[in-house]
Amino acid sequence: MSTFQEVMRNLRERKERVEKGLYNCIPFPFVRFRSWVPGIEKKKFIVVTANQKVGKSKFCDYLFIYEPLFFTLEHPEMKVRVLYFTLEMSPEEKYNEFLCHLLFRLDGLEISPTELRSTDKDHPVDEKILSLLETERYQVYIKAFEEMVTFVDDQRNPTGINKYCRDYALSHGHLNFRKEMRKDKLTDELKEVEVVDPIHPYTPDDPEERVIVIIDNASNLANESGMKKMETIDKMSKYGITLRNQLSFIFVLIQHQAQAQEGIENMKLNKLKPSSDGLADCKTTTRDANMVIGLYSPFKYGLREYEGYDITKFRNHIRFMEIIEDRDYGANGQICPLFFDGAVSTFNELPRPEDKEGLQQVYNYIESLKGRKTNKSFFSFAIKKIVGKLHRWI
């Protein structure tokens, strides 16, 4: 089959899938922004970047784990597998964050990982909450999460991570080869050799499975032998290209912004937003990625207004997602305002700044969260399901 025929076959197959009601991507959770970025597709390399303590990891968990989990439970014909390389937090911490998100998602229970772990001896977690997690209704989601997500904390350098990913691929599919005539480097004679088919390199056992690889984060990679941090991150990035192009993986690299980005000079010049130039330790990853997503918190820098939003009312509950680089959708520079609740790892698209009624609902919700902090009867308060308001903002 010629290259043109193979490309046309793929185009027609994608068209027919949509006409049958199937999906070619996991839809982006932010409805208005979906007109710019429809969803998470196979064969993508995505860099997510922000300054420290802004919520990069929680954002990636929401976008690449929680949303796909709930989507695939509603659309079982599509499957997602996440290989999560936790170079910063422990797998147990990540699991606790998921349980808090699940409690909020299913029953509107606003409880943080700190509260779930009974950190405050005067306020142990309500037994009703622990019992709720053991119910059959919750176990459906918990078992699906365990089947979907593998936390890997014993592979920390690029070569080990790449080998783990390739071993997974080859145990769930096979590479396709074709024969070519090539010159022998020693004898200069033409010989027939087998090479990986560049047009159709890999066939998964399950064509509906999407494999998402998350590296959290680049700065915590263990250096390759003889390499410095920049070279190590660049090597991880080059492995990401191969995982994307050859195996159709979705490769997500979480990368800090350099601390210098938060320096006095940048504050004076109002250059605090994440940027490609501001990537920490290695700036070349942006060249390899299909998309670079930045996450920005104006409250962190004392701004009172940003993009038409009153930051004094949102305080730490607002984030702005910006597409810094994009080679596929033409979304460069597009910004999505998000309501952020770090306790339960949620991000919701905010009403437009001119939608006063919609914004007032958000302000009321924020006030209700403040009230919860003074009411330690978490279960009785949260069971009112005030979370329902979240879905009426857009």
Side-chain angles (χ1 to χ4, degrees):
M1 185 180 294
S2 70
T3 300
F4 173 76
Q5 289 173 324
E6 180 67 24
V7 170
M8 285 301 297
R9 181 198 64 77
N10 183 52
L11 292 175
R12 292 192 183 283
E13 182 181 279
R14 288 173 65 90
K15 177 178 179 292
E16 290 169 3
R17 285 175 57 82
V18 171
E19 291 173 343
K20 292 177 181 177
L22 298 175
Y23 290 82
N24 289 323
C25 67
I26 304 166
F28 225 57
F30 313 127
V31 178
R32 293 198 312 272
F33 202 77
R34 207 179 290 163
S35 63
W36 288 104
V37 182
I40 303 166
E41 292 187 82
K42 287 183 177 181
K43 299 186 73 170
K44 299 298 177 186
F45 181 155
I46 301 169
V47 171
V48 176
T49 185
N51 290 312
Q52 295 184 54
K53 311 306 178 187
V54 169
K56 297 181 295 297
S57 297
K58 291 178 184 290
F59 178 76
C60 285
D61 292 349
Y62 181 79
L63 193 60
F64 298 108
I65 298 179
Y66 304 154
E67 284 297 310
L69 173 67
F70 281 84
F71 181 79
T72 54
L73 284 170
E74 294 176 2
H75 301 273
E77 72 278 2
M78 183 183 288
K79 296 176 184 175
V80 173
R81 181 73 167 165
V82 178
L83 306 179
Y84 200 130
F85 293 88
T86 57
L87 307 180
E88 189 171 73
M89 295 176 64
S90 71
E92 183 182 6
E93 288 176 290
K94 302 301 295 184
Y95 204 110
N96 285 335
E97 288 189 343
F98 165 67
L99 294 179
C100 291
H101 180 81
L102 189 63
L103 286 162
F104 180 77
R105 191 117 178 193
L106 296 188
D107 282 307
L109 292 166
E110 173 82 18
I111 181 169
S112 71
T114 299
E115 294 163 340
L116 185 64
R117 299 196 315 271
S118 301
T119 305
D120 184 346
K121 74 180 228 20
D122 294 325
H123 298 98
V125 65
D126 195 319
E127 178 59 33
K128 292 178 181 177
I129 290 178
L130 298 181
S131 297
L132 193 61
L133 290 170
E134 295 174 328
T135 62
E136 185 176 346
R137 182 164 68 99
Y138 273 76
Q139 285 300 307
V140 169
Y141 296 92
I142 289 170
K143 289 175 182 176
F145 176 81
E146 291 182 347
E147 290 175 2
M148 187 180 97
V149 183
T150 299
F151 291 113
V152 185
D153 62 352
D154 60 348
Q155 301 295 331
R156 306 186 68 86
N157 69 316
T159 298
I161 290 172
N162 180 63
K163 183 179 185 304
Y164 188 101
C165 293
R166 294 190 70 82
D167 286 348
Y168 177 85
L170 295 178
S171 65
H172 292 79
H174 62 270
L175 292 172
N176 301 312
F177 297 89
R178 73 180 188 186
K179 293 181 178 180
E180 287 186 0
M181 299 300 294
R182 293 191 176 180
K183 281 187 178 181
D184 187 283
K185 292 181 179 179
L186 296 176
T187 65
D188 220 26
E189 294 180 3
L190 283 175
K191 289 187 177 181
E192 188 177 67
V193 296
E194 276 195 337
V195 297
V196 176
D197 188 335
I199 302 300
H200 188 51
Y202 175 72
T203 300
D205 293 338
D206 185 349
E208 290 298 330
E209 183 179 75
R210 272 79 174 158
V211 180
I212 302 175
V213 176
I214 301 176
I215 312 294
D216 186 12
N217 59 65
S219 294
N220 286 344
L221 286 165
N223 286 353
E224 292 276 272
S225 178
M227 289 187 178
K228 296 180 180 179
K229 183 62 68 179
M230 183 182 73
E231 297 168 312
T232 295
I233 295 174
D234 185 65
K235 186 166 186 176
M236 186 74 262
S237 187
K238 296 303 182 282
Y239 279 139
I241 291 175
T242 305
L243 294 174
R244 174 193 66 191
N245 294 351
Q246 192 177 86
L247 304 176
S248 298
F249 282 10
I250 300 160
F251 184 78
V252 181
L253 180 66
I254 301 175
Q255 191 169 357
H256 289 306
Q257 288 283 289
Q259 287 188 331
Q261 287 297 104
E262 300 183 74
I264 294 174
E265 285 305 311
N266 276 12
M267 286 187 179
K268 288 179 180 178
L269 297 171
N270 196 24
K271 291 184 177 180
L272 295 167
K273 291 196 309 179
S275 65
S276 296
D277 288 340
L279 289 169
D281 299 313
C282 180
K283 303 183 191 307
T284 58
T285 53
T286 187
R287 301 174 191 168
D288 302 330
N290 295 81
M291 181 180 292
V292 179
I293 300 175
L295 197 65
Y296 179 55
S297 169
F299 174 73
K300 183 176 182 179
Y301 305 105
L303 298 186
R304 300 181 65 82
E305 187 275 342
Y306 188 77
E307 292 289 322
Y309 291 89
D310 186 345
I311 305 304
T312 64
K313 292 185 177 180
F314 285 98
R315 296 179 65 78
N316 199 36
H317 281 296
I318 193 167
R319 296 290 186 272
F320 291 86
M321 178 190 73
E322 180 173 355
I323 306 301
I324 299 172
E325 305 284 353
D326 171 37
R327 71 170 61 155
D328 299 314
Y329 306 109
N332 292 57
Q334 294 300 318
I335 295 174
C336 182
L338 301 171
F339 174 82
F340 169 59
D341 189 344
V344 292
S345 302
T346 59
F347 293 80
N348 291 83
E349 193 173 37
L350 282 168
R352 300 180 190 277
E354 64 272 15
D355 182 359
K356 305 303 180 184
E357 184 179 343
L359 286 176
Q360 188 57 53
Q361 291 185 43
V362 183
Y363 301 150
N364 294 342
Y365 181 75
I366 293 172
E367 287 301 314
S368 73
L369 292 179
K370 293 178 183 177
R372 188 196 68 84
K373 289 296 183 183
T374 62
N375 181 352
K376 293 298 183 180
S377 181
F378 302 128
F379 192 85
S380 61
F381 178 84
I383 206 66
K384 296 176 183 177
K385 295 190 179 181
I386 54 176
V387 65
K389 296 179 182 177
L390 285 170
H391 306 293
R392 295 198 294 271
W393 295 349
I394 52 178

